Amino acid sequence: EVQLVESGGGLVQPGRSLRLSCTASGFTFGDYAISWVRQAPGKGLEGLGFIKSKPYGGTTGYAASVKDRFTISRDDSKSIAYLQMNSLKTEDTAVYYCTRGDMVRGKIYYGLDVWGQGTTVTVSS
Amino acid sequence: DIQMTQSPSSLSASVGDRVTITCRASQSINNYLNWYQQQPGKAPKALIYAASRLQSGVPSRFSGSGSGTDFTLTISSLQPEDSATYYCQESYTSLTFGGGTKVEIK
């Protein structure tokens, strides 16, 4: 079964850091880009960024809202992607999803076709 | 960043109705446009990629069209299980989502 499972969420104080993990199974992890998406309570979806597969350089891209605070990385040998979140703010409280995307000519062409169940991050003192 | 604007933000329709949701990009994204369905308390589900191509397993009553900056998602005959929020998303640059359209059944 193709699956993504997020972990690492929880309660964290403002200004602290947190690292989320996304563990993949059922497919060749290294062939896909991985993207992180979040959803604040009662709000819409917000794309945070992505990391391309190694054949496309493994490069990253980020939304302007998190560019200087969040970092996405991947370990293809373990089929895990990470979202490092620094200097957390109360407005970062959300459900965080990891997703996969298949690429064509350097862009995610087939949409984000597999989603994890999400992990909840609460930033509060 | 590219801005994605969806309309309407919500709608109410009857079973069997034809429903159309529009999505506009602030600049051309060719056909790098995807649609997702999200039911309450669940992760989003991919419906359409490349503006008009159905993901595997998605019912044929869903269809997408458009290119450049203007796109539509159409549900040809609304079913009770289609009650959900629908999002468009560009995958041309940074994967920006539209604000969502909540579809309710009358």
Side-chain angles (χ1 to χ4, degrees), chain A residues 7-109:
Chain A
S7 59
L11 175 64
V12 61
Q13 293 179 326
R16 303 298 290 267
S17 298
L18 196 65
R19 189 179 78 164
L20 305 183
S21 299
C22 170
T23 303
S25 60
F27 65 98
T28 304
F29 182 75
D31 288 348
Y32 291 84
I34 297 296
S35 174
W36 288 89
V37 177
R38 71 181 177 186
Q39 187 168 38
K43 302 296 184 182
L45 302 174
E46 179 185 14
L48 301 177
F50 59 87
I51 184 165
K52 296 183 179 181
S53 58
K54 288 294 193 295
Y56 289 99
T59 55
T60 55
Y62 299 95
S65 59
V66 301
K67 188 174 182 179
D68 297 326
R69 297 189 297 126
F70 290 9
T71 302
I72 299 172
S73 60
R74 64 190 299 157
D75 184 338
D76 290 351
S77 69
K78 296 181 179 178
S79 297
I80 300 179
Y82 302 99
L83 176 65
Q84 177 69 43
M85 304 184 291
N86 298 330
S87 304
L88 283 163
K89 307 174 183 180
T90 56
E91 52 263 43
D92 294 319
T93 294
V95 175
Y96 286 72
Y97 298 100
C98 71
T99 74
R100 79 168 192 185
D102 201 358
M103 304 186 71
V104 173
R105 294 187 297 274
K107 297 185 187 297
I108 293 175
Y109 181 75

Side-chain angles (χ1 to χ4, degrees), chain A residues 35 37 39 43-47 50 63-64 97 105 107-113 115-116, chain B residues 1 31-32 34 36 38 42-44 46 49-50 53 55 87 89 91-95 97:
Chain A
S35 174
V37 177
Q39 187 168 38
K43 302 296 184 182
L45 302 174
E46 179 185 14
F50 59 87
Y97 298 100
R105 294 187 297 274
K107 297 185 187 297
I108 293 175
Y109 181 75
Y110 296 95
L112 304 176
D113 67 336
W115 293 64
Chain B
D1 288 358
N31 68 336
Y32 287 89
N34 311 299
Y36 302 88
Q38 186 180 32
K42 295 189 175 181
Y49 68 94
R53 303 191 178 194
Q55 293 280 356
Y87 295 91
Q89 179 216 31
S91 52
Y92 191 70
T93 58
S94 55
L95 309 181
F97 287 87

